[in-house]
């Protein structure tokens, strides 16, 4: 299958994800899939970051540097978004047969396993786990040859009926190399807000640094379609 990737500004892309989540929560569908690529740059971070000392000055400085700050409702740390990134959002109703205690890990695995499979088929060493020096690091990073390629997150809501929870599982996939500029933006924000963390460009890798893989997204979409059929 040929996947449709929507080229859209970061703010509108984040809204499109929330609209998809709301649609499934309303019962319009049991699942949904969205691929979108930013046509601009932004540094996206939790709303609580706006309470940091130095946030206002950092926000003005980053905007001047071409990385305006956008706030999100979920947690985590600053994440750069740019045309080098393609985002995938998986939304589905939790299967009735799935225990609540497993739903968070299962959601991450449903998002990440297709990526791991396709990267492995390309010949890469694909893994899940934290990478020292990566921005917004986490145990469900998708890594290529030991370096972070995909950052992941999820959010849960109740369906309107209140009986079955719905998840939005999100992956930000670095396809083209803008590692240095991204890390510089994150580090500049952290520095201006007196945060200790510093990220390194060599902790990250873009897919196209290793593989041309013109059908990478199409192959991913096929696996997600199969996944939805089995829910």
């Amino acid at each position: 299958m040929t996947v449709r990737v929507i080229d859209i500004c970061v703010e509108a892309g984040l809204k499109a994800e929330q609209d998809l989540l709301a649609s499934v929560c309303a019962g319009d569908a049991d699942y949904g899939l969205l691929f979108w690529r930013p046509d601009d740059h932004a540094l996206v971070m939790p709303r609580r970051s706006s309470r940091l000392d130095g946030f206002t000055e950092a926000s003005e400085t980053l905007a001047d540097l071409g990385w305006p700050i956008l706030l999100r409702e979920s947690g985590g740390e600053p994440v750069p978004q740019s045309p080098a990134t393609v985002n995938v959002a998986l939304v589905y109703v939790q299967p009735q047969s799935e225990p609540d205690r497993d739903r968070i890990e299962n959601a991450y695995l449903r998002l990440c396993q297709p990526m791991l499979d396709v990267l492995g088929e390309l010949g890469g060493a694909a893994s899940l786990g934290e990478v020292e020096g990566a921005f917004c690091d986490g145990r469900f990073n998708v890594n290529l040859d030991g370096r972070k390629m995909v950052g992941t997150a999820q959010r849960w809501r109740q369906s309107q009926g209140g009986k079955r929870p719905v998840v939005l599982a999100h992956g930000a996939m670095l396809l083209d190399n803008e590692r240095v500029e991204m890390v510089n933006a994150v580090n500049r924000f952290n520095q201006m807000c007196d945060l200790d963390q510093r990220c390194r460009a060599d902790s990250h890798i873009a897919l196209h640094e290793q593989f041309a893989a013109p059908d990478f997204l199409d192959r991913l979409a096929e696996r997600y379609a199969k996944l939805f059929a089995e829910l």
Side-chain angles (χ1 to χ4, degrees):
M1 64 184 295
T2 301
V3 66
R4 177 175 175 241
V5 180
I6 301 172
D7 291 298
I8 195 171
C9 71
V10 177
E11 187 172 15
L14 297 174
K15 183 179 184 302
E17 291 187 352
Q18 295 305 312
D19 289 345
L20 181 60
L21 176 59
S23 176
V24 175
C25 286
D28 297 337
D30 286 334
Y31 56 82
L33 177 66
L34 173 68
F35 285 90
W36 63 277
R37 176 173 41 226
D39 58 15
D40 60 351
H41 292 71
L43 198 57
V44 184
M45 61 189 66
R47 190 165 298 279
R48 58 176 167 75
S49 299
S50 64
R51 299 192 294 269
L52 291 168
D53 291 338
F55 175 83
T56 299
E57 183 180 358
S59 182
E60 294 171 353
T61 297
L62 268 296
D64 289 342
L65 294 173
W67 292 91
I69 290 175
L70 295 177
L71 300 176
R72 62 174 185 262
E73 299 301 327
S74 56
E77 298 169 353
V79 175
Q81 288 276 357
S82 85
T85 305
V86 170
N87 297 275
V88 57
L90 241 62
V91 179
Y92 65 85
V93 179
Q94 181 188 359
Q96 290 181 326
S97 60
E98 188 169 284
D100 274 351
R101 69 176 182 273
D102 298 330
R103 69 179 187 177
I104 292 176
E105 182 159 348
N106 285 342
Y108 276 125
L109 292 177
R110 287 186 177 112
L111 174 68
C112 297
Q113 191 61 53
M115 300 179 194
L116 296 172
D117 291 343
V118 176
L119 290 173
E121 290 170 2
L122 290 172
S127 62
L128 292 178
E130 297 178 354
V131 176
E132 184 178 356
F135 50 71
C136 202
D137 198 18
R139 68 188 185 98
F140 288 101
N141 295 336
V142 175
N143 306 317
L144 174 59
D145 296 342
R147 298 159 68 186
K148 179 176 178 178
M149 191 190 107
V150 185
T152 61
Q154 61 180 270
R155 173 184 288 184
W156 288 84
R157 285 187 182 171
Q158 285 297 121
S159 61
Q160 278 195 350
K163 295 180 180 179
R164 300 173 68 188
V166 179
V167 65
L168 163 64
H170 171 270
M173 304 179 288
L174 186 60
L175 299 193
D176 297 311
N177 182 11
E178 200 174 5
R179 295 181 285 113
V180 171
E181 295 86 350
M182 288 178 162
V183 164
N184 286 346
V186 173
N187 285 343
R188 185 66 178 272
F189 176 83
N190 289 344
Q191 178 186 28
M192 295 190 71
C193 291
D194 292 326
L195 301 175
D196 293 334
Q197 184 190 31
R198 296 294 182 269
C199 305
R200 300 197 308 267
D202 61 5
S203 295
H204 302 263
I205 190 169
L207 173 69
H208 294 151
E209 291 183 86
Q210 297 290 87
F211 306 107
D215 60 347
F216 177 74
L217 297 179
D218 294 335
R219 292 163 72 174
L220 270 187
E222 289 176 358
R223 282 164 171 78
Y224 290 134
K226 182 179 179 181
L227 181 157
F228 286 141
E230 295 172 350
L231 283 177

